[in-house]
Amino acid sequence: MGQPVRDYLLTLCVTAAVTYLLTGPVRKFAIAVGAMPAIRARDVHREPTPRLGGIAMFGGLCAGLIVADHLFNLKGVFELSNEPRALLSGAALIWLIGVLDDKFEIDALIKLGGQMIAAAVMVIQGLTILWLPIPGIGTVALTQWQGTLLTVALVVITINAVNFVDGLDGLAAGMVCIASAAFFLYAYRLWFGYGIEAAAPATLFAAILMGMCLGFLPHNMHPARIFMGDSGSMLIGLVLAAGAISVTGQVDPDSLRIFFEGSERGATHAMLPVFIPLVLPLTIIAIPAADLVLAIVRRTWNGQSPFAADRGHLHHRLLEIGHSHSRAVLIMYFWSALIAFGAVGYSVHSASMWIVFVIIAASAVGLVLLLMPRFTPRTPHWANRFVPPRYRRRAPERVAPSASSYGEKPEPAPSGSQPALEDAQMGQESPERAPVAVGVSGVNGATAIGPRSRFPERRSIDSSR
């Protein structure tokens, strides 16, 4: 089992490295071609930010598949199954539609049609749901039309759920990375725990998806230097849906070889690994799917189109009630991890009530930490050398206010003067002095090659973004 784990880790690292290295050049390309839409009413960022981050993520996907095809323990996935090729075909189509939307803002109905076509392309090549495990009934074989419709519906729902939640810096990539990590643990257990070869493609898809998200996150964390755009959000949504379809509709529940005797409750616990493929994909996208359903209900109730954009998503509401950008993202991360890993843990030890108590305790501790007024994530001093400069903790600088900053001759500021320190940290400027621009301004606090402003503009919570 150790060798396959190393192969998966190598695939994940190569995918993450290629995605990370491509994101910088893609950002410059997006600025050059003008893929920087103006600020919209529902946006929370303050300056035009380049999109097209999905180009780098698609490059990471291709690199991960190529590396896996040349590894001894993973090349059998490509020899015994056509699912990786089906995934690549559908991903290429949905990625192309996303790139066009990031540049030209195509109509929502056209995007919906493209999503359905991409799902149909995967169905034609064999990535489809063949049967479903139904509690109390058993395994139900689906007709070709039933399997096709169910597959297309699952792909479209997952893509739009991920697309809807992509509203804060690092939110969609982080939530999908957490979900894919939980999905990897479950699929890997099916493959090596039960010896089910049909679960191998889903395990590979989850590892590659984690690499895509981890490679893009350093560029996308707040304040983001680039957005993934629809080319990235629809792409990772399709990969997540492909893994769920593979492990749900391709793995025969009877191959789990579960036999039970005794009470009905014991039989239910014994059969839980059979039913968990039906439940786990829903728990993975529980937060995005809930946001999607609430958005449709809210817009329809207000007499708007379900595709009309607004500022009523869950992450918008977290900002409105006073949470900072980073704290809102952490709260969404926390609930995604709690639901996804809780479902995986319960599938392993379904008869153990201690898992329920652990989940409740983790919920309480996590909420207390995340809701503390002064809680902010910071990099420890010892880790400064291991993270990029933009994430390092800087020591406060002692700068005395100048005469030009306040329009009058300042008094000598003693060493360690608190007002001087606070004014320097807040970067206050007089109306008479314009801020100094470095290079080409207006690209989310930085140029394509220039540094960020050291003192970002402070806003009140109630102001619009």
Side-chain angles (χ1 to χ4, degrees), residues 103-292:
K103 182 63 178 71
F104 302 106
E105 293 284 345
I106 63 178
D107 187 73
L109 292 178
I110 297 178
K111 287 194 297 183
L112 180 62
Q115 296 168 7
M116 298 175 68
I117 294 175
V121 168
M122 294 195 301
V123 171
I124 293 175
Q125 300 189 56
L127 186 55
T128 182
I129 298 178
L130 302 177
W131 45 67
L132 286 177
I134 306 298
I137 299 178
T139 303
V140 177
L142 302 178
T143 65
Q144 182 178 359
W145 279 107
Q146 290 173 340
T148 300
L149 292 176
L150 189 57
T151 302
V152 172
L154 182 59
V155 170
V156 171
I157 291 174
T158 306
I159 289 176
N160 286 281
V162 175
N163 192 18
F164 273 39
V165 83
D166 184 25
L168 296 179
D169 298 348
L171 181 58
M175 290 183 64
V176 172
C177 183
I178 293 172
S180 58
F183 196 82
F184 175 83
L185 294 177
Y186 176 75
Y188 187 86
R189 177 172 174 263
L190 284 184
W191 186 8
F192 288 95
Y194 292 95
I196 302 175
E197 294 292 336
T203 312
L204 176 62
F205 297 165
I208 292 177
L209 184 56
M210 276 192 289
M212 295 166 60
C213 296
L214 289 175
F216 186 72
L217 269 175
H219 300 273
N220 190 233
M221 294 300 292
H222 182 69
R225 296 176 62 86
I226 185 174
F227 294 153
M228 67 173 65
D230 283 2
S231 59
S233 62
M234 293 197 300
L235 175 63
I236 61 178
L238 182 135
V239 178
L240 182 62
I245 292 170
S246 178
V247 76
T248 301
Q250 298 288 326
V251 176
D252 186 0
D254 294 335
S255 61
L256 294 176
R257 301 185 303 274
I258 296 177
F259 302 96
F260 53 88
E261 296 179 358
S263 65
E264 182 179 354
R265 181 177 181 181
T268 303
H269 288 158
M271 290 294 292
L272 186 63
V274 175
F275 302 135
I276 202 66
L278 185 64
V279 178
L280 187 60
L282 300 179
T283 63
I284 287 176
I285 62 171
I287 301 297
D291 194 16
L292 174 63

Side-chain angles (χ1 to χ4, degrees), residues 157 161 164 286-300 313:
I157 291 174
F164 273 39
I287 301 297
D291 194 16
L292 174 63
V293 173
L294 291 176
I296 294 176
V297 173
R298 179 178 64 254
R299 295 167 184 174
T300 305
H313 294 292

